[in-house]
Amino acid sequence: MMYNKPIHAPLQSPKFLVDVGCGTGIVARQLGDAYPTAQVYGIDISPIPPGPIPSNVDYILGGVRQVLETDPRLSLESADFVFSRLLVLGMTDWPGYVRDIVALLRPGEWVEMHDFAFDWYLHGSYCSGGWEWLQALSAAAEWKGWDLRCGKNINGYMEQAGLTDVSVEEYKVPMGDWLAGERPETRRIGEHAARECGMLYYHAIPKKC
């Protein structure tokens, strides 16, 4: 769906890269393989599943904002590239987080953030404004400090943090495989969204006992 390009930044021989919210560690491993002379750190609040790891990749366990304050390997103006993806249901202070990431970057280097906006469209027109379940989810998100439209708001957070060369690429994710005939690359993510997102939303909404 992203043309087999998990990274879009025009990197030129980076030496220090950070993957925030690295999950299974797959992007950190890809970065380690792509730049074998660089040091790569993946950060996540959960342990990385066991598996082969390039020798230039290390994982740091913890919340990113705490780690940035306490881990001496992540000093100010040390990183050539910082990447994050799908922090939408984990980050509770986007402006503060982006400011911390900008402080981690060396001047002139790159940050890339991939995330969702919880907006739905039908035939190109916005259609989810009156959905009661989405209103309940939005209320729960606001209570928890989440930004369900962070995918649309990140560029503003970046500009507020002082970044000037900010660009945006938008991708529309189908629910189900209905678009796969026309665009085969959407099949897997569409099937995943239809299968998994309902339970994700359900568990994000507080329940009354």
Side-chain angles (χ1 to χ4, degrees):
M1 186 169 181
M2 299 175 68
Y3 311 106
N4 292 319
K5 288 176 57 180
I7 305 299
H8 293 66
L11 302 181
Q12 300 290 332
S13 303
K15 298 299 182 185
F16 193 104
L17 305 96
V18 180
D19 177 12
V20 177
C22 61
T24 63
I26 186 171
V27 173
R29 293 196 298 270
Q30 290 174 339
L31 290 170
D33 288 335
Y35 304 103
T37 62
Q39 175 63 55
V40 180
Y41 289 108
I43 303 172
D44 204 280
I45 60 174
S46 299
I48 305 303
I53 300 173
S55 60
N56 60 329
V57 175
D58 290 304
Y59 293 108
I60 302 172
L61 184 65
V64 58
R65 301 196 69 190
Q66 180 183 8
V67 166
L68 290 176
E69 289 182 354
T70 59
D71 196 303
R73 294 170 291 183
L74 302 173
S75 58
L76 296 177
E77 297 188 357
S78 61
D80 300 307
F81 179 62
V82 180
F83 176 82
S84 70
R85 181 164 61 188
L86 297 181
L87 303 185
V88 59
L89 298 184
M91 186 55 59
T92 57
D93 178 8
W94 275 97
Y97 163 64
V98 175
R99 287 194 301 269
D100 288 350
I101 294 303
V102 171
L104 178 63
L105 285 170
R106 292 197 304 116
E109 299 302 339
W110 295 92
V111 57
E112 182 169 340
M113 298 181 178
H114 299 182
D115 238 297
F116 274 114
F118 280 50
D119 296 332
W120 274 259
Y121 295 82
L122 181 63
H123 305 306
S125 298
Y126 177 66
C127 65
S128 55
W131 293 357
E132 291 185 5
W133 71 265
L134 185 56
Q135 292 172 355
L137 178 60
S138 298
E142 183 177 358
W143 176 69
K144 293 184 177 184
W146 297 340
D147 178 1
L148 294 188
R149 304 188 82 245
C150 60
K152 287 186 178 294
N153 295 333
I154 284 174
N155 61 318
Y157 299 144
M158 289 181 172
E159 291 169 352
Q160 292 170 16
L163 297 179
T164 56
D165 186 9
V166 178
S167 63
V168 177
E169 292 281 348
E170 291 190 357
Y171 298 88
K172 291 183 171 60
V173 177
M175 292 292 286
D177 62 2
W178 60 270
L179 190 57
E182 177 184 342
R183 296 182 55 192
E185 72 275 11
T186 67
R187 180 180 299 278
R188 290 181 63 190
I189 192 168
E191 290 176 344
H192 176 82
R195 183 176 61 249
E196 302 293 341
C197 284
M199 290 303 295
L200 182 149
Y201 304 149
Y202 174 83
H203 288 294
I205 298 174
K207 311 298 186 299
K208 291 184 178 179
C209 298

